[in-house]
Amino acid sequence: MPVRNARAVVCRGPDRPFEVETIRVEPPRRNEVTIRLAACGVCHSDLSATNGTIPMPPPLVLGHEGAGVVVEIGEGVTELAVGDSVVTSFVSMCGHCRHCQTGRPQLCDQAARTLTTLPDGSVRSFDTDNQPLSVFSGCGVMAEFATLHVDNVVKIDAAMPLEPACLIACGVMTGVGAAFNTARVEAGSSVVVFGCGGVGLNAIQGSSIAGAASIIAVDTMAHKLEFARLFGATHTIDASTDSNVVKIIKKLTGGGVDYAFECVGLGVLVAQAYASLRKGGTAVVVGVAAQADTTSVRTASLTFEEKTLTGSMYGSARPRQDFPRLIALYRSGRLKLDELITQRYTIEQAAQAFADLQAGHNARGVIVFDPD
């Protein structure tokens, strides 16, 4: 079984410029597969791993929002074959722990042990000096090839285009799932979404698909609010010019929204999302905050107003059930995936892709790999 050379995006330390390097990818061991990547989304979580917001030890191969084709399988793999199209799941799903057994694989106990390695604690990616490379959430798929455990891979229909499919692996699943699975947005309800990046746009379109009557988008960038309209927002608020966002939301909705989604990862915005709720409303924290960040709410409101404040990990995903469901929505024309991809990059243009991400230029940028 060959060791494959691959170009990959590697972070060598916090706040250090990441580099596009040639790495060595070892063949799969038991219950593992090697995939050739077709596309990988450029996600803010990857950026958070480079600046310490999500602590991951360097050197680290970035990338967790990938889609590709299986090129080699390891011993014991029965559910996948060479040539299968797959989407990665950055949450490992063992299928045996309490959370997996009760329908909450996004909280799988194994996932905490595979933050930067495969489940056995080792990696299959090495630099040219033969030093091991950590892999983002057991994936490390911002690379031409990657070897993953089968618990981090979901087979999809071969007819599904892989560029839009890669978005399902994180941004779409996280945002749409927050609306579908975590909050369970009801038809005719009112919604506000704080932050209109890739995840926020999908919380918007997930709420729209669910039948929400009013969807308010809040952001500080005018062009992101334009994106929000495309994905289903009925109202927009520019937080850079409107100082009392909560007051505006309550005026628009006659007292508050049924559901609020915080998709940035800032405690102050979580507090605003919670304050925007009507009695009995639900605020969902989707964004990943810094470890030291905190949120304050009026404790009595939890009792007297029966408000709910909850988190959403990976859109409360059940990847093997939800990924095909999202693909079906895409094929029926109800889920916008192609429209999310506002810029494509080669892997050698990764630095520009991350610069555009930081500047907020894209709904989603995607690194597309040469099929040869």
Side-chain angles (χ1 to χ4, degrees), residues 229-296:
R229 289 277 188 182
L230 173 64
F231 286 89
T234 58
H235 303 80
T236 58
I237 298 174
D238 188 338
S240 69
T241 58
D242 293 315
S243 58
N244 197 332
V245 171
V246 173
K247 183 178 180 180
I248 295 170
I249 293 168
K250 289 195 170 184
K251 184 176 180 180
L252 285 171
T253 57
V257 294
D258 298 295
Y259 307 97
F261 298 92
E262 195 281 342
C263 299
V264 179
L266 289 174
V268 63
L269 293 184
V270 173
Q272 288 185 18
Y274 183 81
S276 300
L277 296 174
R278 62 161 179 81
K279 292 180 181 180
T282 298
V284 181
V285 182
V286 188
V288 178
Q291 297 297 305
D293 199 20
T294 60
T295 298
S296 296

Side-chain angles (χ1 to χ4, degrees), residues 92-181:
S92 184
M93 305 163 286
C94 74
H96 308 296
C97 70
R98 175 183 180 183
H99 303 295
C100 285
Q101 289 290 314
T102 56
R104 305 184 76 184
Q106 80 278 10
L107 301 178
C108 177
D109 290 335
Q110 180 173 273
R113 301 194 299 271
T114 59
L115 192 62
T116 57
T117 69
L118 276 65
D120 67 359
S122 65
V123 295
R124 307 290 171 263
S125 298
F126 297 82
D127 65 16
T128 52
D129 293 325
N130 206 34
Q131 295 301 304
L133 299 169
S134 300
V135 288
F136 190 112
S137 290
C139 295
V141 291
M142 202 168 282
E144 293 171 317
F145 291 95
T147 296
L148 292 82
H149 195 276
V150 292
D151 291 346
N152 289 91
V153 175
V154 177
K155 181 180 176 179
I156 62 170
D157 191 324
M160 177 67 188
L162 292 175
E163 285 184 30
C166 80
L167 304 180
I168 291 172
C170 180
V172 174
M173 184 69 257
T174 301
V176 174
F180 281 10
N181 298 334

Side-chain angles (χ1 to χ4, degrees), residues 174-190:
T174 301
V176 174
F180 281 10
N181 298 334
T182 311
R184 299 191 177 184
V185 171
E186 295 181 353
S189 61
S190 55

